[in-house]
Amino acid sequence: MPQDPMDFEWSYWIEWGRERILWLLAGHLLVSQVSRLLVEKYKPWCLMVYGMTACWLLLGVKGFAVILLHAAISFAVAQFQLSLLTWLCSLILLSTLRIPAVEETKRKWYDTENEYYLLLFTVSVRCLFCTSFSLEYCWHAPTQKSSHSFPWMLAYVFYYPTFHNGPLVNFDEFSKQMRRQEAFSVKTNLSILIVGIIRIFFWWCLAELMIHLMYIHALYSSALPLESASYWALGGLALAQVLFFYVKYLVLYGVPALLLRMDGLKPPALPCCVSLMHSFTKMWRSFDVGLHCFLVRYIYVPMGGSQSSLLGALLSTALTFAFVSYWHGGQSYLWYWGALNWLGVIVENGTKRILSISPIQDLI
């Protein structure tokens, strides 16, 4: 039975995975396990060299140079130790991905559109990693700068399991865990690998069944069936779509999460099932945990967060969703999506505050 071809993200990453990325991830696993067994002290540098090599092979010398240039510019700007300047640099680097002339030049580097999109997605994710490193550099004391050197930035930026699509791991967590030397057990790691592969294979089979049998995205792409459907049917389609999105990210984040565990690191928690969620707040906290931690640490809390006034909390939340919308592409529908999510979070938090008032509590 033919599959629903309308979910670009699933088709795109599965195709790349089959062609090259899974093989490069297997190579990373081999390098990681050998270095943990023989040269634990030099593991970060072994993985850095492997990640840079994999980037060169997959994106070419020009793609590799773009990512290296972004890292070098971010590191140079971080030397001023001004968070605002670091953010300005990050936003400017991110904006270069949307300049038509630059896009056209990068397209000419590759034979196919898919190769160009791989560079685009990779650089977008690397921008977040560069931002995380640079802000941590700004915030740490001069005595701690040795742990925030340019080689450590390269080890972080070129760490291959999270290279193309995440999940996001903040630099401090990455550095702390990568430096930690612990006992290595081939038997334990082998059991983690086998169980992890079985789970990911199950999720992949489930996603493939959904995309071959349900045709959710094909239905959404045509107005006629949606106009003739009942409200119950539309609700079912909406639920089916978010459930597929959940299963898809169990696979897309499950593979790198397994490799992180094999490297002795703690990955961000995998997405929580959307059927268990009943609020915007929980959705943002527990679906993409790595992105949530990034947004809270580098945008929401520095802007005041929940500890500031009501206006300050509204502004912190608005800036957080504005950045998410811009990072995802900045198209008009993304601004609407971000605004609606912001409104949902504000309404929920406002309702919680009202319900926490003593007279309301007594009435309840």
Side-chain angles (χ1 to χ4, degrees):
M1 184 178 290
Q3 73 173 39
D4 181 352
M6 301 306 293
D7 189 88
F8 169 78
E9 188 176 33
W10 177 257
S11 304
Y12 182 85
W13 289 116
I14 290 300
E15 182 182 341
W16 268 109
R18 286 171 177 162
E19 286 184 4
R20 298 188 194 177
I21 291 178
L22 277 179
W23 297 105
L24 289 171
L25 289 173
H28 169 93
L29 178 63
L30 179 63
V31 171
S32 168
Q33 299 311 293
V34 170
S35 61
R36 288 190 74 186
L37 189 63
L38 302 178
V39 284
E40 175 76 17
K41 184 178 178 181
Y42 301 102
K43 180 182 70 173
W45 317 123
C46 295
L47 297 182
M48 178 191 75
V49 170
Y50 181 84
M52 296 174 85
T53 305
C55 172
W56 191 305
L57 290 173
L58 210 54
L59 299 176
V61 63
K62 292 178 180 177
F64 171 79
V66 166
I67 295 171
L68 191 61
L69 181 63
H70 276 231
I73 292 172
S74 296
F75 185 78
V77 172
Q79 304 306 302
F80 293 98
Q81 295 186 275
L82 296 171
S83 299
L84 185 60
L85 191 60
T86 291
W87 266 116
L88 185 62
C89 172
S90 298
L91 292 173
I92 290 172
L93 289 175
L94 201 55
S95 69
T96 60
L97 302 179
R98 299 170 180 82
I99 299 173
V102 176
E103 286 182 340
E104 195 58 37
T105 300
K106 289 177 181 176
R107 275 190 169 91
K108 291 176 181 176
W109 296 348
Y110 301 106
D111 297 326
T112 65
E113 196 78 354
N114 274 0
E115 290 175 295
Y116 163 71
Y117 280 128
L118 185 64
L119 174 65
L120 182 66
F121 298 148
T122 303
V123 174
S124 297
V125 176
R126 293 307 94 198
C127 277
L128 296 184
F129 278 69
C130 289
T131 303
S132 174
F133 175 90
S134 298
L135 288 171
E136 296 293 348
Y137 186 95
C138 292
W139 296 344
H140 281 73
T143 54
Q144 298 173 297
K145 289 295 183 273
S146 61
S147 60
H148 293 71
S149 61
F150 189 60
W152 267 106
M153 185 183 196
L154 294 181
Y156 175 58
V157 169
F158 285 97
Y159 181 67
Y160 195 69
T162 61
F163 191 66
H164 298 293
N165 195 41
L168 187 57
V169 181
N170 291 342
F171 175 73
D172 260 23
E173 287 298 313
F174 174 85
S175 174
K176 189 191 308 176
Q177 294 175 35
M178 190 63 82
R179 290 170 186 277
R180 184 180 61 215
Q181 296 187 19
E182 53 186 20
F184 176 72
S185 169
V186 175
K187 185 178 179 181
T188 302
N189 261 24
L190 188 60
S191 64
I192 291 172
L193 181 64
I194 292 170
V195 172
I197 288 174
I198 291 171
R199 291 176 69 188
I200 292 166
F201 181 72
F202 171 76
W203 297 329
W204 175 77
C205 289
L206 183 57
E208 284 292 317
L209 276 173
M210 294 174 79
I211 208 126
H212 277 84
L213 300 177
M214 298 178 72
Y215 294 91
I216 313 156
H217 303 88
L219 287 169
Y220 270 113
S221 66
S222 176
L224 189 62
L226 296 179
E227 289 171 353
S228 60
S230 67
Y231 290 128
W232 282 104
L234 290 174
L237 280 171
L239 179 60
Q241 187 179 43
V242 294
L243 285 171
F244 175 76
F245 191 75
Y246 160 65
V247 175
K248 173 170 68 176
Y249 268 86
L250 284 179
V251 177
L252 296 183
Y253 279 178
V255 174
L258 174 59
L259 291 175
L260 279 159
R261 292 185 67 198
M262 295 294 291
D263 291 346
L265 309 180
K266 183 182 178 183
L270 291 177
C272 182
C273 180
V274 291
S275 296
L276 303 176
M277 298 181 193
H278 60 274
S279 74
F280 285 95
T281 308
K282 186 177 180 182
M283 178 71 180
W284 279 98
R285 284 178 179 169
S286 54
F287 192 85
D288 192 335
V289 177
L291 180 60
H292 173 259
C293 292
F294 176 92
L295 296 171
V296 169
R297 180 166 176 79
Y298 302 121
I299 302 177
Y300 185 70
V301 171
M303 289 304 299
S306 59
Q307 303 303 313
S308 61
S309 63
L310 177 61
L311 186 61
L314 290 173
L315 179 62
S316 301
T317 312
L319 285 174
T320 302
F321 282 112
F323 176 75
V324 172
S325 301
Y326 183 70
W327 178 70
H328 274 89
Q331 291 88 351
S332 58
Y333 72 89
L334 287 168
W335 292 112
Y336 296 136
W337 167 74
L340 288 170
N341 275 276
W342 174 76
L343 186 61
V345 169
I346 293 303
V347 169
E348 282 180 0
N349 290 332
T351 305
K352 284 179 184 177
R353 288 191 180 190
I354 292 170
L355 293 177
S356 65
I357 300 171
S358 296
I360 302 293
Q361 285 286 313
D362 294 341
L363 183 62
I364 291 173

